[in-house]
């Protein structure tokens, strides 16, 4: 599948352009005035947030989520990889029949992209791409900026409406009613849906899980409890280390589209690595 523009991506870009125009040239202008200091500051702030939103969205669309090298071969004797994922049935190392290659840890085959994706989270129609190892951070940061932009725009919309109720009621109702109604119908559900999505991915990051691993973990937890055991996600390194694994070691770059820290996506630190490192340091 070719990454790039699709109908759903066009819809998203159209919504961004419409919300930006209404926010800056209607809400801010009618409430604060674009030629006043508060108006200029709000316009600059909202433009900056919108720019970062579009930038991260573009990166999420065009970035390859992670391709399994054709030469990849799991090494079961490698001491640096204490966990090897196996098939549910048979216990063999995971092998993709469609791609004719072994699957690295956390990799899954995407039926839409028709190939295996490193550390696959899900396939997202709104970016016309998979969310995986190489573009997960920019996807997450895009959602962060999108939530901020929607809530910010909604506040400006409400402020503009309040101001209009005291001035020029008839003119405001006749000239801008459609823009206010459409913006409200877009911003309210978008703010709610994106906030839920952001909360979900914050939870996943803190647990160092993907969406696929969450659903697999539910089943594994049920099987472990059935057998009298306790299941623990093997890639959970602790909340802060999980954050730095996804967003990077420097907090100043957490909301920037920089992902040089992520590695090759073929091997990941596990709780076993952490335990062995702590034991050797004693």
């Amino acid at each position: 599948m070719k990454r790039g523009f699709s109908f759903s991506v066009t819809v998203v870009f159209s919504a961004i352009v419409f919300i930006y125009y209404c926010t800056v040239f209607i809400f801010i202008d009618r409430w604060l005035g674009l030629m006043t200091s508060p108006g200029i500051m709000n316009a600059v702030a909202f433009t900056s947030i919108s720019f970062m939103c579009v930038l991260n969205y573009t990166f999420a669309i065009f970035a390859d989520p992670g391709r399994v090298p054709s030469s990849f071969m799991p090494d079961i004797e490698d001491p640096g990889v204490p966990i090897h994922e196996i098939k549910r049935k048979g216990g063999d190392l995971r092998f993709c029949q469609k791609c004719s290659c072994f699957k690295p840890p956390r990799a899954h085959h995407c039926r839409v992209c028709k190939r295996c994706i490193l550390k696959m989270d899900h396939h997202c129609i709104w970016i016309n791409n998979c969310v995986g190892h190489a573009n997960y951070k920019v996807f997450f940061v895009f959602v962060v900026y999108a939530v901020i932009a929607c809530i910010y725009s909604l506040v400006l919309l409400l402020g503009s409406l309040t101001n209009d109720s005291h001035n020029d009621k008839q003119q405001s109702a006749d000239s801008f009613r459609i823009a206010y109604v459409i913006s409200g119908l877009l911003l309210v559900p978008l703010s709610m849906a994106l906030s839920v999505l952001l909360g979900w991915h914050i939870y996943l990051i803190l647990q160092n899980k993907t969406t696929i691993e969450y659903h697999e973990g539910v089943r594994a937890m049920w099987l472990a409890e059935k057998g009298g055991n306790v299941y623990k996600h093997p890639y959970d390194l602790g909340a802060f280390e999980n954050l730095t694994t996804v967003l990077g070691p420097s907090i100043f770059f957490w909301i920037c589209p920089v992902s040089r820290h992520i590695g090759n996506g073929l091997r990941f630190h596990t709780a076993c690595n952490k335990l062995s490192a702590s034991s050797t340091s004693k």
Side-chain angles (χ1 to χ4, degrees):
M1 188 200 73
K2 292 184 178 180
R3 298 185 299 276
F5 283 94
S6 65
F7 176 75
S8 54
V9 171
T10 304
V11 168
V12 173
F13 271 117
S14 299
I16 291 173
V17 171
F18 177 79
I19 291 172
Y20 176 80
Y21 177 84
C22 290
T23 301
V24 174
F25 297 103
I26 297 179
F27 308 155
I28 294 177
D29 188 32
R30 293 187 62 77
W31 183 18
L32 304 169
L34 282 177
M35 294 298 105
T36 64
S37 295
I40 293 173
M41 286 190 294
N42 278 278
V44 169
F46 189 79
T47 299
S48 301
I49 295 169
S50 300
F51 172 77
M52 291 300 295
C53 183
V54 171
L55 181 66
N56 283 277
Y57 182 60
T58 304
F59 283 163
I61 293 171
F62 291 102
D64 192 312
R67 187 180 296 272
V68 179
S70 58
S71 60
F72 173 76
M73 181 68 67
D75 184 1
I76 59 175
E77 297 182 356
D78 185 357
V81 185
I83 294 177
H84 292 276
E85 297 178 356
I86 59 176
K87 295 180 180 179
R88 292 178 182 175
K89 296 180 181 180
D92 299 325
L93 291 173
R94 296 164 66 237
F95 186 85
C96 181
Q97 300 292 342
K98 296 178 180 178
C99 296
S100 299
C101 66
F102 284 98
K103 292 182 182 179
R106 315 181 83 175
H108 294 273
H109 187 86
C110 176
R111 290 176 294 180
V112 181
C113 296
K114 298 180 180 179
R115 64 184 177 92
C116 287
I117 305 296
L118 296 176
K119 195 186 173 185
M120 180 178 172
D121 187 89
H122 69 287
H123 184 88
C124 180
I125 63 169
W126 300 109
I127 65 171
N128 194 33
N129 197 5
C130 264
V131 178
H133 174 68
N135 67 345
Y136 181 80
K137 179 187 173 181
V138 291
F139 172 80
F140 174 76
V141 176
F142 157 68
V143 175
V144 171
Y145 281 113
V147 170
I148 295 172
C150 285
I151 295 175
Y152 193 179
S153 180
L154 195 55
V155 170
L156 292 169
L157 183 153
L158 294 174
S160 180
L161 279 176
T162 304
N163 183 65
D164 281 346
S165 66
H166 300 291
N167 309 291
D168 265 331
K169 290 185 179 179
Q170 188 58 45
Q171 183 181 357
S172 173
D174 293 341
S175 304
F176 299 101
R177 180 182 297 169
I178 295 177
Y180 280 112
V181 170
I182 296 177
S183 297
L185 291 174
L186 279 174
L187 288 170
V188 172
L190 272 177
S191 299
M192 296 174 63
L194 289 171
S195 295
V196 170
L197 181 64
L198 177 61
W200 169 245
H201 281 284
I202 289 174
Y203 166 78
L204 291 177
I205 289 174
L206 291 175
Q207 300 289 319
N208 201 0
K209 294 179 180 179
T210 64
T211 299
I212 294 174
E213 288 170 348
Y214 169 81
H215 292 293
E216 290 179 341
V218 170
R219 183 177 184 276
M221 189 179 299
W222 177 78
L223 291 174
E225 289 178 354
K226 189 177 179 181
N229 300 314
V230 177
Y231 171 78
K232 180 174 174 59
H233 183 55
Y235 301 104
D236 186 0
L237 307 175
F240 183 74
E241 286 194 47
N242 293 340
L243 276 171
T244 56
T245 297
V246 175
L247 301 180
S250 175
I251 193 172
F252 299 106
F253 293 100
W254 279 7
I255 57 174
C256 297
V258 178
S259 301
R260 296 178 181 175
H261 64 284
I262 59 175
N264 59 14
L266 300 177
R267 55 194 298 175
F268 300 90
H269 289 292
T270 66
C272 295
N273 296 126
K274 191 174 180 180
L275 287 173
S276 60
S278 61
S279 62
T280 54
S281 62
K282 290 181 181 180

